[in-house]
Amino acid sequence: MTALPNTKTKGAGRRWPLFVLFVVALVALALVLESFLRAEDFTPGEEIVSPSIRDVSVSAEDRLYPPPDVNYFGQRPEKVFVYLSVEDLPTGEDMRARVARSGSSSALSLLFGQEDEIQALDEQEDQLSSGEGGASGIVKFALQARSGDPLPPGNYTVEISDGLGGESGAPAVRKSFVVEG
């Protein structure tokens, strides 16, 4: 009778689940740390560079004239309206808005890239009058999730270019606000 060598080693089949668990925990820790560091230096407020733009405010209220400015939304609004108070804005210049969102997301949306895109909609009637120096009044547009759901929680920055930024392309206005979940 021939004896077969014992090739079975104790515990060899149990190492890979521990390794996978360790890697998953490390990835989760990295995602939490990255999210914390990204949101840490965010301060809501505004920066107005263009002399034609006098004020900027954001609100969940759709009004003819700007309501009080809101820097923190405690609940997720369907839309956020951005109001620009302009004076002597040169006519014929295109204004462009760019929206950036940072902050917390669910781990599944980070892994699978299912983040809702935010779009700026210019469906609003602007309250402008023309004068010798240009247009004056209120320009209004809305920010909305492309899916139509309420805006996801996070830190938002809206940059508006008035076409006068020249070669640098610097935004005329930068407005930052927070949507909490």
Side-chain angles (χ1 to χ4, degrees):
M1 182 178 224
T2 57
L4 296 175
N6 186 4
T7 59
K8 185 177 177 185
T9 59
K10 188 174 184 178
R14 288 182 270 168
R15 284 189 183 170
W16 75 267
L18 292 175
F19 178 73
V20 170
L21 184 61
F22 176 73
V23 169
V24 168
L26 192 61
V27 168
L29 179 65
L31 288 174
V32 167
L33 185 62
E34 188 270 337
S35 175
F36 175 73
L37 291 176
R38 186 174 13 153
E40 188 174 295
D41 64 347
F42 186 81
T43 305
E46 62 192 49
E47 177 186 355
I48 300 174
V49 177
S50 174
S52 299
I53 299 176
R54 300 292 181 205
D55 193 24
V56 59
S57 64
V58 294
S59 176
E61 298 178 43
D62 184 11
R63 289 184 167 173
L64 192 56
Y65 291 99
D69 192 21
V70 177
N71 284 329
Y72 293 94
F73 293 91
Q75 297 178 344
R76 297 172 47 194
E78 297 273 334
K79 290 182 181 180
V80 169
F81 296 93
V82 179
Y83 298 86
L84 296 174
S85 176
V86 299
E87 187 174 312
D88 296 331
L89 182 69
T91 56
E93 298 293 334
D94 286 337
M95 295 184 86
R96 292 185 188 96
R98 188 176 73 85
V99 183
R101 179 184 160 274
S102 65
S104 59
S105 295
S106 71
L108 290 177
S109 67
L110 287 174
L111 289 174
F112 297 113
Q114 297 175 342
E115 193 168 2
D116 205 359
E117 187 177 338
I118 309 301
Q119 60 186 355
L121 304 172
D122 187 22
E123 308 172 336
Q124 311 300 317
E125 286 293 322
D126 297 331
Q127 303 294 321
L128 295 174
S129 61
S130 295
E132 329 177 333
S136 297
I138 304 297
V139 175
K140 178 174 74 169
F141 63 93
L143 303 176
Q144 177 181 343
R146 189 170 299 278
S147 67
D149 293 336
L151 291 175
N155 303 327
Y156 288 80
T157 301
V158 180
E159 293 181 344
I160 299 141
S161 302
D162 63 0
L164 303 175
E167 297 294 322
S168 67
V173 177
R174 183 175 290 124
K175 177 68 176 171
S176 302
F177 60 93
V178 175
V179 174
E180 296 177 352

